[in-house]
Amino acid sequence: QVQLVESGGGSVQAGGSLRLSCAASRYTYGCMGWFRQAPGKEREAVAIINTGSGSPYYADSVKGRFTISQDNAKITAYLQMNSLKPEDTAMYYCAARLSFGDCSVIQHDYHHWGQGTQVTVSS
């Protein structure tokens, strides 16, 4: 079992920045990334990184504003969020899965989840 611990959420005004961190209890070969869920909406993939190749995926809504990265040990993932918008307001969850190949963007394919961290962007 892999434990994931998120940190870095908070409140910020539109146009501001936040950096989320997700620390895993051990390296997971496969995919690690962030999903978010706003009230009344489905949980959606935001950014995912292939921990082997470093190849990232971004949702169209965050391309050019968010950047996902990982540390050299590949057990901590970071999400740098710039130019935040009110529509980015949501609970952000870190997720990881053992995988060989392209990373899935479907939440049900992920086996390990963090507790979530709230991001609130005010206009």
Side-chain angles (χ1 to χ4, degrees):
Q1 185 73 6
V2 178
Q3 278 74 50
L4 303 173
V5 179
E6 302 115 330
S7 60
S11 297
V12 66
Q13 289 191 325
S17 298
L18 285 172
R19 189 192 195 205
L20 305 184
S21 298
C22 175
S25 56
R26 62 174 175 83
Y27 173 64
T28 299
Y29 184 89
C31 306
M32 192 169 175
W34 300 89
F35 288 72
R36 69 184 180 187
Q37 188 167 21
K41 293 190 175 182
E42 295 283 324
R43 190 173 297 189
E44 62 175 354
V46 176
I48 299 169
I49 191 165
N50 183 306
T51 59
S53 68
S55 177
Y57 158 86
Y58 296 101
D60 287 342
S61 58
V62 306
K63 281 180 181 176
R65 301 188 296 122
F66 290 12
T67 303
I68 189 169
S69 61
Q70 58 183 350
D71 67 347
N72 288 337
K74 301 181 180 181
I75 61 173
T76 300
Y78 304 97
L79 185 66
Q80 179 67 42
M81 305 185 293
N82 297 329
S83 302
L84 283 161
K85 304 176 181 179
E87 50 264 44
D88 293 318
T89 296
M91 185 71 79
Y92 284 68
Y93 297 91
C94 181
R97 69 182 297 244
L98 176 65
S99 173
F100 299 93
D102 294 338
C103 287
S104 171
V105 298
I106 301 172
Q107 61 163 320
H108 298 296
D109 289 339
Y110 286 76
H111 316 125
H112 310 291
W113 291 88
Q115 79 283 0
T117 186
Q118 178 68 36
V119 171
T120 302
V121 184
S122 58
S123 57

